[in-house]
Amino acid sequence: MDITAPLALRNDVLIIPVSKLDEQTRRSIDCGEQDFAISRPHSRSTSTVIDPAAAALVEQFRKPRTIVEAVVLFSKARGLDGSAVLEDAYRLVRRLMEQDFIRPQGEADASQEADAVKPLHARGDRVAEAEVLRLLHLVEDTELYLARDPEWGPCVLKIERSGHPRVAALFEREAQVLEHVNGTVAPRLIRAGEHGGRRFLLLEHCRGLEAEIAAAEIRSSDEASIRSRVRLVGRIARAYAALHERGVCHGDVHPRNVLVDDGRVRLIDFGMARWLASEVVLPRGGVAFFFEPEAARCALEEAPMPPPTLLGEQYSVAALLYYLLTGMHYLEFSLGRLELMRQIVDAAPVPLAERGLDCPALEATLFRALAKDPAARFPTTSEFADALERLEPPPALAAVHAAARPEWPSGRAALDRATDEILERTALDGPWFTGGLSPGPSASVNYGAAGIALIVQRLARRRQDPALLARADAWARRADSIARHDPNAFVTAGGEISPSTVGEASPLHTASGVDLVRALVSHAAGDPVGHARAVAAFVAAAGGRTAGLDLTLGDASTILGAAQLLPTASHDRELVRALRQLAASRVARLWDTLDSKPAIAASDIDNLGIAHGWAGFVYATLLWCDISRTDAPEGALRRLRELAVLAEPWGRGLTWPWALAVGTDAAYMSGWCNGTAGHVHLWTLAHRLLGDPSCLDLAIGAGWDVWDAPDGAGTLCCGLAGRAYALLSLHRATGDRGWLARARVLGERAAAHGEFEPEYPHSLYKGRLVLAALAADLDCPEEASQPFFELEPC
């Protein structure tokens, strides 16, 4: 390094006070409260911790400066002797240059544009015949995309961002290793080549959960079974053993590089792999927590890191398996790099009993593979895997584990409290009835009194409670009165919801919904006169102007409303005829419009979701055809097939972008309105109506995405409550009680810590009102139905 050359920080370097990091991260970092963390987004460089003085010195390089200039400025500001600072400054700057935080001025200038790391491809781009679908991962030198190949279907595209020789060598090595492994425990290599001067690999897509998530799901199961954990880590060890038997070291052992799908284990990301038969040895990578002592010792001595070895990787695999078994690392790691390396070299693993696992045979097996001396480990990883597979651990964990395992808050109690709260607020002497509902729309199903009447009516039917049914009737009458006399009955103060935006016929947002709920309440109360009057009023109101085609505002919404009422009207031919005429005219108009459009992927309607897109058009139509026993239009069946083709693998499940024009993660959701929860309902209905097993496969794939997605809002519209109803639908379709258990978990999480719109606690799809119905449906899942979407049992 030329000490006289101007140097500069890369443009994207972040220097963040440790005090601003979250508490868990601060506890794991070997640092003081005044220290700073230095990092680069999208970089392969490991973040590092520096003290306040070092941070101040490094900030001098925001502008190009020599080390001497930076030291002079730094020392003068603090009244220090610059010559005393220079030696330490030289070591610090050299380390930061090795980690690519600081570069010579010319290289730093050239890197400024590259520092703004943005994807080079968008949805719909074609690379080597494969169509790009979505970005999976991006670092400064490589991009990873989910793509669709005409021959292979879903696949993964890995493409370099620059022509740097080091990156090209990594791609070449990965291609060679994948060809040698030939798809046994790794993705199959489909094609390799260049596109626009950049190397690419097109790889088989491997379904599955990252090992860390799969292990956490097992650890959190009610059975608390250690056998399931040992079975999982045994399969992972066997995968690495199969790789080693082919003379390949993976070179980058960590949980995200292991995928688990229904017990099958696949290893991914072979960019750091070593083929022992090849004489080419490239730079070492990996995550420090899983380094073997041989590598850690070299790091301490500032010597070149050794290439991966079979015995060294056995240690790394054992460290990984310990982490998956317990949810914690085998050492109480410091994040100070030097101290972490010392721990790997010298510190003994934490006994499993201290991690909540009282299983001496398992500990002895793991700790042999974690021996500091390579000669003391198993001779091969295959023998390590054999030893794990021979274990017969106890069926359940020691009591200490039950105490150590983190639990969700008591979700069922939260659901019960929510039900009590709703019953209190909806009482005729309660705050909502006596104080009124504000702001508007105060009459509608989605936001107002009609939605309250619907939920109270459902609770009355479930509990066989005449008093609650009388309360539901009072709320239905209140909704009708508001609809007739209150100018805010169907209008928000800001005008976001008004006849000009939602039309005049949508049951969710207009008077037709009030009439529909009045009909349901009258039917439950055994009032045929009131029921007939309300159905007739619904038919008249639903015949008005709709706002487009969709299931919440348009023609599909009135089809859905007619389907809700048809089972209640079977005793009255005139009512049946009126409902059939209304639905038939809307179905014909809907599909006359949709049949004129090209394939979904090329259509000007690019929303695929249930609330506002193609899934909703098809769902409402199939629901009507199911309940009315009429044939589904060919157009609906054709669009169903097109939606099936547009499914994309994600984790162990499937997902659909809600908008094809949005080429980012924002195009994917797990909730009902625009996400995979809505697709669960579509495909379970399609399976029930058509009997096609592939429809149920699609529903199950969507169900896994609904379950695996992170928590968010609690609402029925786009949150946990809607996701819970999707899994209840999947339980009824499959008979698998696992889906019922998962639905209960999501429902309990919705009540315990889900977010709802505070302005509208009484809103059916946006507020807490739905929690009362969900609690009842989780207790009686065979009769469950998502309110105002699935058909209520008659």
Side-chain angles (χ1 to χ4, degrees):
M1 177 172 63
D2 182 1
I3 197 169
T4 65
L7 307 173
L9 276 172
R10 293 191 59 143
N11 193 48
D12 58 346
V13 168
L14 303 177
I15 302 177
I16 304 169
V18 167
S19 60
K20 292 188 177 181
L21 301 177
D22 64 87
E23 183 178 351
Q24 182 177 355
T25 301
R26 289 201 306 273
R27 283 200 306 266
S28 63
I29 296 176
D30 182 20
C31 64
E33 283 295 319
Q34 304 302 314
D35 286 347
F36 288 75
I38 179 169
S39 65
R40 287 181 54 226
H42 305 295
S43 171
R44 296 186 186 274
S45 302
T46 304
S47 299
T48 191
V49 175
I50 54 179
D51 62 36
L57 176 61
V58 171
E59 287 286 0
Q60 297 295 329
F61 293 99
R62 291 291 182 189
K63 296 180 179 179
R65 290 191 172 98
T66 65
I67 293 180
V68 172
E69 289 172 336
V71 167
V72 168
L73 290 170
F74 169 82
S75 302
K76 184 177 179 180
R78 287 161 180 75
L80 301 174
D81 180 0
S83 60
V85 173
L86 187 58
E87 184 177 349
D88 288 341
Y90 180 86
R91 286 198 297 267
L92 171 65
V93 172
R94 183 180 68 178
R95 176 160 63 92
L96 295 180
M97 289 187 73
E98 290 171 351
Q99 293 178 273
D100 206 22
F101 292 114
I102 293 178
R103 287 184 168 187
Q105 180 181 1
E107 295 181 25
D109 291 341
S111 75
Q112 299 308 306
E113 183 64 29
D115 285 345
V117 180
K118 298 178 181 178
L120 297 176
H121 290 286
R123 185 182 184 91
D125 288 355
R126 291 194 174 271
V127 176
E129 301 178 17
E131 179 188 7
V132 170
L133 298 179
R134 70 188 292 189
L135 180 70
L136 298 177
H137 186 59
L138 184 154
V139 291
E140 58 190 338
D141 56 17
T142 306
E143 297 178 351
L144 208 64
Y145 294 92
L146 179 67
R148 183 180 285 117
D149 182 76
E151 179 181 353
W152 285 81
C155 54
V156 172
L157 171 68
K158 186 173 186 176
I159 187 165
E160 66 173 325
R161 290 177 56 83
S162 65
H164 194 285
R166 182 185 68 85
V167 180
L170 294 176
F171 270 69
E172 183 175 351
R173 174 172 60 181
E174 184 165 10
Q176 291 172 346
V177 168
L178 290 175
E179 282 186 328
H180 173 64
V181 175
N182 196 30
T184 50
V185 293
R188 191 177 302 277
L189 178 65
I190 299 172
R191 284 191 293 280
E194 287 191 6
H195 177 82
R198 296 183 291 131
R199 292 184 64 88
F200 75 85
L201 304 175
L202 196 64
L203 310 172
E204 171 194 7
H205 177 271
C206 298
R207 283 182 54 161
L209 281 177
E210 292 177 359
E212 183 170 8
I213 300 173
E217 188 170 277
I218 293 173
R219 291 197 308 269
S220 64
S221 68
D222 291 337
E223 298 174 0
S225 170
I226 189 173
R227 289 181 176 172
S228 297
R229 298 194 216 179
V230 172
R231 191 178 303 118
L232 172 64
V233 298
R235 287 170 175 162
I236 293 172
R238 181 60 64 194
Y240 280 101
L243 190 67
H244 290 179
E245 287 169 358
R246 288 179 170 264
V248 174
C249 287
H250 184 276
D252 194 9
V253 174
H254 63 77
R256 293 187 303 279
N257 281 343
V258 181
L259 297 181
V260 181
D261 181 37
D262 196 24
R264 185 185 184 188
V265 172
R266 306 290 290 276
L267 307 179
I268 60 173
D269 194 358
F270 283 75
M272 299 294 177
R274 180 189 178 198
W275 186 5
L276 300 180
S278 172
E279 296 181 357
V280 178
V281 178
L282 295 175
R284 174 72 181 264
V287 174
F289 297 134
F290 304 101
F291 279 178
E292 71 275 23
E294 304 92 286
R297 188 173 291 108
C298 290
L300 283 174
E301 296 170 355
E302 297 189 357
M305 292 284 279
T309 65
L310 298 180
L311 284 175
E313 190 151 282
Q314 182 188 137
Y315 185 100
S316 300
V317 171
L320 169 65
L321 301 189
Y322 185 110
Y323 178 72
L324 298 177
L325 283 162
T326 66
M328 292 172 275
H329 289 292
Y330 71 103
L331 296 171
E332 297 288 357
F333 280 124
S334 163
L335 288 191
R337 183 173 176 82
L338 292 181
E339 179 57 28
L340 186 151
M341 296 301 165
R342 290 190 189 96
Q343 290 175 298
I344 293 173
V345 171
D346 297 326
V350 176
L352 286 180
E354 295 183 22
R355 303 300 201 202
L357 284 174
D358 187 9
C359 187
L362 174 60
E363 180 174 293
T365 303
L366 276 180
F367 283 19
R368 180 177 175 185
L370 286 169
K372 305 299 182 184
D373 179 2
R377 299 169 196 157
F378 289 92
T380 67
T381 306
S382 289
E383 290 173 80
F384 177 34
D386 290 342
L388 287 169
E389 290 170 351
R390 286 195 299 267
L391 288 173
E392 293 190 10
L397 301 179
V400 65
H401 171 70
R405 179 159 57 94
E407 298 285 354
W408 287 99
S410 177
R412 181 65 219 198
L415 265 176
D416 291 341
R417 286 195 300 271
T419 301
D420 292 342
E421 171 194 332
I422 296 305
L423 288 173
E424 179 181 344
R425 292 190 175 192
T426 60
L428 301 188
D429 59 354
W432 288 352
F433 200 87
T434 59
L437 305 176
S438 62
S442 51
S444 73
V445 169
N446 197 15
Y447 286 98
I452 295 173
L454 178 72
I455 295 302
V456 175
Q457 176 261 158
R458 287 170 64 103
L459 292 176
R461 292 180 56 152
R462 190 60 51 82
R463 297 183 177 195
Q464 295 294 295
D465 186 333
L468 277 181
L469 190 56
R471 185 190 303 187
D473 182 64
W475 273 107
R477 293 174 185 275
R478 168 64 64 88
D480 184 59
S481 176
I482 295 171
R484 294 174 185 276
H485 305 294
D486 188 341
N488 293 321
F490 304 107
V491 178
T492 54
E496 298 90 351
I497 296 176
S498 69
S500 63
T501 60
V502 302
E504 300 168 348
S506 163
L508 274 174
H509 293 287
T510 73
S512 71
V514 175
D515 297 325
L516 194 159
V517 171
R518 284 176 53 222
L520 293 176
V521 172
S522 296
H523 177 70
D527 175 10
V529 175
H531 173 264
R533 188 182 301 119
V535 172
F538 166 80
V539 171
R545 178 181 60 85
T546 59
L549 305 175
D550 71 42
L551 183 136
T552 57
L553 306 176
D555 287 348
S557 72
T558 54
I559 297 169
L560 181 67
Q564 299 276 337
L565 287 179
L566 188 64
T568 72
S570 58
H571 62 285
D572 189 319
R573 290 183 180 179
E574 285 302 311
L575 294 180
V576 169
R577 182 183 61 80
L579 288 168
R580 284 182 174 273
Q581 285 181 345
L582 170 67
S585 66
R586 294 298 195 188
V587 168
R589 188 166 76 179
L590 175 67
W591 290 101
D592 281 348
T593 302
L594 295 176
D595 286 345
S596 68
K597 296 185 179 295
I600 291 174
S603 171
D604 59 335
I605 302 175
D606 77 332
N607 191 310
L608 306 188
I610 202 87
H612 301 292
W614 288 97
F617 306 152
V618 179
Y619 176 86
T621 303
L622 295 187
L623 188 68
W624 171 255
C625 293
D626 186 29
I627 197 66
S628 65
R629 298 186 180 181
T630 55
D631 292 335
E634 175 54 37
L637 299 179
R638 175 162 49 89
R639 302 306 189 174
L640 191 70
R641 294 190 291 270
E642 292 176 11
L643 282 170
V645 172
L646 291 171
E648 299 176 10
W650 190 251
R652 58 179 159 178
L654 295 170
T655 186
W656 285 257
W658 69 266
L660 291 174
V662 179
T664 68
D665 281 350
Y668 298 86
M669 299 175 59
S670 59
W672 170 81
C673 58
N674 287 312
T676 42
H679 283 273
V680 171
H681 290 289
L682 171 64
W683 295 106
T684 54
L685 171 60
H687 176 256
R688 185 173 74 243
L689 187 62
L690 306 175
D692 184 346
S694 67
C695 292
L696 189 58
D697 291 340
L698 289 165
I700 291 170
W704 281 122
D705 185 73
V706 168
W707 168 245
D708 290 331
D711 286 1
T715 62
L716 181 59
C717 176
C718 51
L720 289 160
R723 289 161 58 186
Y725 271 111
L727 299 192
L728 281 172
S729 174
L730 199 51
H731 161 64
R732 293 193 302 276
T734 63
D736 183 348
R737 294 189 64 81
W739 293 114
L740 172 58
R742 297 180 189 100
R744 284 176 173 151
V745 170
L746 293 186
E748 290 168 3
R749 290 181 188 174
H753 51 81
E755 296 180 1
F756 297 85
E757 290 197 8
E759 281 187 290
Y760 296 102
H762 43 73
S763 169
L764 176 62
Y765 269 73
K766 304 288 187 180
R768 292 177 60 82
L769 178 66
V770 72
L771 293 177
L774 180 57
D777 283 336
L778 288 169
D779 288 339
C780 193
E782 301 309 322
E783 297 182 14
S785 61
Q786 180 170 320
F788 223 73
F789 177 65
E790 296 180 278
L791 299 186
E792 289 190 25
C794 287

